[in-house]
Amino acid sequence: MAHDHQDHDRHGSAHEQSHAHRHGHAHDHADIDWAEMAPHLEAQAELYTPLYRQAMAWLAREVTDPGLVVDVGSGPGVVSCLFADTFPGARVVAADGAAPLLERARARAERLGVGDRFGTLAGDLPAALAELDHPADLMWASQSLHHLPDQRAALAALGGHLAPGGTLAILEGGLPARFLPRDIGIGRPGLQARIRAVEEDAFAEMRADLPDSVAEAEDWPAMLTAAGLKHTGTRSFLLDLPAPVSDAARDYVTTSLSRLRERIGERLDTDDLATLDRLLDPADEAGVHRRQDLFVLVAHTVYTAVRPA
């Protein structure tokens, strides 16, 4: 499952998005070319590695020596391999609905020398987790739950695959990525804020259009509690890549805005669309290919809960 809200949050496939994973991404996975998407997902997760490492350092203080760590919606396995590095005594399972992404995850694990304690699980999530050999001591789900029609039921299903005392960590919400100053010198100031408003509407429509969608206030501690788990912590983590950005960060911003243009361009007003097109024009001095004021600033929130012993 790749999820990419605005294409900057999927560490793997569901981020696409994934792990398509952010707001407004395609939800018919059969229509997504995962082999084509994989390099973007991998590059995005690698760029966000400092943020993920902060989250894992926090989790490592809460979860000591887990035997099995499951990355739900793992995509190409960047974060899964970070878990293998954080918990050198654990077996890590990358679970995802996109087999081509799991192939990359396996290759990455072998390349990094953790293949001997790394496994993959392909199938629709969370149902596929029934194939796990053992309950998980730590389960991670990054921006995948909000793409499922009944989020509370999904939390309960994930919790059912935890060992007694095991921890579920979900990454949901936070603050969306910002790339540009309020006034960029072209178009009307506040472009990203207006784009974000359009994304919020698109996301609400996506949720409403899911078959059997259940409306739910986004109170994740309350939902975790209702799912039979004990909420144990909430913390947000920052990715701060100030100007001037690296080539990798510039490529990420360019790709993110390009995909945003594809998804919601027709929803923007004429002036904002023209400004976005200038930003994406490699020949324009005001475009993101050349701007020196480009940055990446985003916060992700992680909620943890424990299955009662």
Side-chain angles (χ1 to χ4, degrees):
M1 293 175 11
H3 301 297
D4 195 0
H5 284 175
Q6 193 178 314
D7 276 343
H8 54 62
D9 262 328
R10 170 127 159 132
H11 65 255
S13 86
H15 36 241
E16 170 247 40
Q17 131 327 320
S18 282
H19 43 291
H21 190 121
R22 287 178 64 175
H23 294 347
H25 104 238
H27 289 271
D28 184 353
H29 289 190
D31 293 338
I32 300 173
D33 185 340
W34 293 115
E36 178 184 354
M37 184 74 71
H40 166 60
L41 295 175
E42 239 169 1
Q44 174 179 297
E46 288 167 353
L47 192 72
Y48 275 61
T49 289
L51 184 153
Y52 293 127
R53 285 203 179 277
Q54 293 173 54
M56 289 182 192
W58 177 60
L59 288 174
R61 293 193 291 271
E62 305 294 321
V63 183
T64 57
D65 299 323
L68 176 62
V69 177
V70 179
D71 183 1
V72 181
S74 64
V78 176
V79 171
S80 308
C81 289
L82 291 175
F83 273 114
D85 183 56
T86 301
F87 298 106
R91 175 169 175 76
V92 175
V93 171
D96 203 280
L101 296 181
L102 291 179
E103 292 175 11
R104 293 181 76 103
R106 282 191 293 269
R108 186 180 192 90
E110 292 292 340
R111 192 166 63 247
L112 295 176
V114 297
D116 60 332
R117 52 189 181 87
F118 190 93
T120 59
L121 178 59
D124 290 336
L125 298 170
L129 298 177
E131 299 178 30
L132 290 171
D133 293 335
H134 305 286
D137 300 297
L138 173 61
M139 186 172 290
W140 168 267
S142 175
Q143 296 194 327
S144 52
L145 287 163
H146 64 245
H147 292 277
L148 299 178
D150 189 336
Q151 297 167 102
R152 188 180 303 191
L155 287 170
L158 294 179
H161 295 291
L162 287 173
T167 294
L168 173 62
I170 62 169
L171 187 157
E172 290 288 347
L175 298 174
R178 292 297 300 261
F179 308 136
L180 295 160
R182 183 190 65 87
D183 190 336
I184 60 174
I186 58 173
R188 186 159 57 101
L191 174 67
Q192 273 205 272
R194 291 190 298 279
I195 287 176
R196 181 60 183 176
V198 172
E199 285 189 290
E200 291 287 1
D201 288 341
F203 180 75
E205 291 174 14
M206 178 278 290
R207 287 283 317 157
D209 289 344
L210 289 174
D212 302 317
S213 179
V214 177
E216 194 83 58
E218 292 181 356
D219 182 345
W220 291 100
M223 280 193 276
L224 287 162
T225 301
L229 303 172
K230 179 183 178 183
H231 174 238
T232 53
T234 300
R235 186 164 173 184
S236 295
F237 303 94
L238 185 70
L239 180 69
D240 180 11
L241 305 177
V245 294
S246 65
D247 290 343
R250 188 177 298 275
D251 289 346
Y252 160 66
V253 172
T254 303
T255 301
S256 296
L257 291 178
S258 296
R259 293 185 59 77
L260 185 150
R261 170 67 168 85
E262 294 171 7
R263 293 196 312 278
I264 64 166
E266 74 281 358
R267 294 172 177 251
L268 301 177
D269 67 33
T270 302
D271 291 341
D272 282 346
L273 184 58
T275 301
L276 183 57
D277 284 341
R278 284 196 64 184
L279 285 170
L280 291 170
D281 183 356
D284 197 318
E285 290 292 339
V288 294
H289 296 82
R290 305 188 182 197
R291 300 185 70 96
Q292 294 304 301
D293 58 356
L294 209 63
F295 61 89
V296 178
L297 182 64
V298 61
H300 284 339
T301 301
V302 178
Y303 303 88
T304 57
V306 171
R307 179 178 181 176

